[in-house]
Amino acid sequence: MQLKNIRIVKLLKFLAILSLTMNSKAFDFESQYSRPNVDEIEKVIGEFTLIGFKWIDQPINKILLIKNGQDHCAIKILSYKRFNDKKVPTIFSANEESFLGEATFVKFKNGKSYKFKTLHLSSKSPVGIGKIAYDSSQDIIRCGKARLLWRYPSAISLLSESNGTNLSPTANEDFNELNFNSTNIRWYSYDESRKMELIPISELPIAQ
């Protein structure tokens, strides 16, 4: 029975990747290092977690774990929106597209959640020239000493100086059922040599 289940899982993964390839005009995610454009990511994020060399795009309502030394946090993207408002750049603004997101962010102490917060995330083009440009984006996330960056639609990205910070995608949806020491999960650190990896939602581990 167990062997049969393994074969079924492999078949489902093959069919999912085959469907992805057909629907995304054969964009080869797993041979790339750089993050694809948002149009490509939108095609897959409903069915896959996308893992890059410094970021993880997690499906909506699935919890991503964050660990930096003794600091433990978790985040769940609840929604996101793009405005399709990109314009011709000017001397005062790059006029890049604007994005919004909402997430639940939780800090943990001694394995127990103790601080819940709703994050209202945004990414907007800075306005101004050079050092006097003003950026109204709300895209920085802090977990202890770690600084991370939200990127549309659902990526949490490590900064280059995020030494010691690790991310772990999970299938969990309830913050009260997380185990940061679970042997089921895998932690990802900043690694420029890592190519992208697609994990079907059905294969995401449960942190228990």
Side-chain angles (χ1 to χ4, degrees), residues 189-207:
S189 59
Y190 187 103
D191 182 358
E192 293 184 355
S193 67
R194 183 170 59 239
K195 292 183 179 180
M196 280 189 290
E197 178 182 353
L198 287 169
I199 301 179
I201 291 179
S202 61
E203 294 186 16
L204 285 173
I206 298 176

Side-chain angles (χ1 to χ4, degrees), residues 133-153:
Y134 172 71
D135 188 351
S136 62
S137 297
Q138 300 291 325
D139 53 8
I140 298 296
I141 299 167
R142 290 178 170 82
C143 178
K145 296 180 180 179
R147 294 174 70 251
L148 305 104
L149 179 69
W150 169 74
R151 300 180 69 186
Y152 178 88

Side-chain angles (χ1 to χ4, degrees), residues 31-47:
S31 70
Q32 306 295 319
Y33 292 93
S34 299
R35 190 168 182 260
N37 64 51
V38 295
D39 295 313
E40 295 295 343
I41 294 174
E42 284 181 330
K43 294 176 184 178
V44 303
I45 200 59
E47 299 179 32

Side-chain angles (χ1 to χ4, degrees), residues 58-196:
Q58 183 83 325
I60 279 184
N61 291 323
K62 300 299 181 183
I63 295 174
L64 180 73
L65 305 184
I66 305 168
K67 179 173 67 173
N68 181 278
Q70 297 300 313
D71 297 311
H72 294 74
C73 307
I75 187 169
K76 178 168 65 174
I77 302 295
L78 303 175
S79 64
Y80 48 77
K81 179 181 179 180
R82 64 185 300 186
F83 286 82
N84 294 299
D85 57 349
K86 185 175 181 178
K87 300 177 182 178
V88 176
T90 69
I91 190 173
F92 296 106
S93 175
N95 281 330
E96 294 291 342
E97 186 174 358
S98 302
F99 303 102
L100 293 179
E102 185 173 276
T104 300
F105 182 73
V106 182
K107 292 184 178 181
F108 289 78
K109 188 173 184 179
N110 298 323
K112 302 293 184 181
S113 58
Y114 75 96
K115 189 174 182 180
F116 283 73
K117 184 178 181 180
T118 298
L119 301 180
H120 299 285
L121 303 161
S122 64
S123 178
K124 303 176 182 179
S125 277
V127 177
I129 301 176
K131 294 183 179 180
I132 61 173
Y134 172 71
D135 188 351
S136 62
S137 297
Q138 300 291 325
D139 53 8
I140 298 296
I141 299 167
R142 290 178 170 82
C143 178
K145 296 180 180 179
R147 294 174 70 251
L148 305 104
L149 179 69
W150 169 74
R151 300 180 69 186
Y152 178 88
S154 60
I156 302 301
S157 179
L158 300 171
L159 301 178
S160 58
E161 67 268 23
S162 296
N163 294 329
T165 305
N166 294 270
L167 306 175
S168 181
T170 77
N172 295 65
E173 297 183 0
D174 188 338
F175 288 100
N176 294 314
E177 297 179 354
L178 295 173
N179 178 7
F180 281 79
N181 297 315
S182 172
T183 58
N184 297 332
I185 61 177
R186 176 182 174 185
W187 291 98
Y188 294 86
S189 59
Y190 187 103
D191 182 358
E192 293 184 355
S193 67
R194 183 170 59 239
K195 292 183 179 180
M196 280 189 290

